[in-house]
Amino acid sequence: MTARTDTYITEAGLEPTADAKVDRPVYRRPGFDGIASTQAMDETIAEALSKFRKQKDLSRAELAMLIGSIEAVYGRYERAVTKLHATQVLHLCEVLGIFPDDLLFDAAPHLWGHTREEALERRRITKMIQALPPETLRTVATILDSIFALQKAPGA
């Protein structure tokens, strides 16, 4: 490892951890309860996927058909047997009418804030913004632009 890499690891708050599928350390940022295994994160995403499918009143077979798959293959996603690729997550979000963070938040809430409370507040605000009509969204963006400009102003 180089000094530059060591510096990045320290500044990013990364810690070495083991991954069953990799024969060398991988670096991760700890969550609120330590470093979750990739399997645990996959299971959390799978639970969210199942929850949203059920909210839309779709069977596994119906959702599988909508994404060009078969029930047996789709079922492996909901059981966290098969990992989802980013493009599959996006496709599922399109079909289910949800945002990617709907599937991902619970798997890694620490990516939304430094504390559980901050993460939940960012998530709450994100959900409110996602629900705004376009004309209101423009108004909120203008307000936020003003807030950021004030924070950057000298003496702020």
Side-chain angles (χ1 to χ4, degrees):
M1 222 175 296
T2 66
R4 181 171 163 243
T5 307
D6 286 339
T7 299
Y8 182 82
I9 289 168
T10 300
E11 289 175 356
L14 302 175
E15 294 181 9
T17 188
D19 185 319
K21 296 184 180 180
V22 180
D23 62 355
R24 59 185 174 269
V26 296
Y27 289 82
R28 302 269 312 280
R29 193 173 115 206
F32 303 130
D33 300 317
I35 297 175
S37 70
T38 53
Q39 182 63 35
M41 290 190 301
D42 287 336
E43 289 168 3
T44 302
I45 293 167
E47 288 170 17
L49 182 58
S50 176
K51 176 183 84 171
F52 286 110
R53 175 186 56 79
K54 290 173 184 174
Q55 283 179 358
K56 300 296 180 175
D57 196 28
L58 292 169
S59 68
R60 282 184 175 176
E62 290 169 322
L63 185 52
M65 185 269 309
L66 292 172
I67 62 169
S69 188
I70 60 173
E71 182 177 1
V73 171
Y74 173 78
R76 291 195 290 263
Y77 299 145
E78 282 194 13
R79 292 189 312 277
V81 173
T82 301
K83 293 180 183 286
L84 288 163
H85 296 283
T87 52
Q88 291 167 312
V89 168
L90 294 172
H91 187 189
L92 286 162
C93 289
E94 290 172 346
V95 171
L96 292 170
I98 61 175
F99 291 93
D101 58 313
D102 292 327
L103 290 179
L104 304 177
F105 178 79
D106 288 336
H110 62 285
L111 296 177
W112 276 258
H114 295 314
T115 65
R116 190 176 307 279
E117 294 74 24
E118 180 185 347
L120 290 170
E121 189 66 8
R122 285 184 194 279
R123 175 79 170 133
R124 186 177 77 82
I125 291 168
T126 299
K127 295 312 298 171
M128 287 191 290
I129 289 171
Q130 290 170 342
L132 290 174
E135 59 279 358
T136 307
L137 189 59
R138 283 188 283 281
T139 302
V140 170
T142 300
I143 292 167
L144 290 173
D145 286 339
S146 298
I147 291 169
F148 287 120
L150 289 171
Q151 287 178 337
K152 290 180 184 178

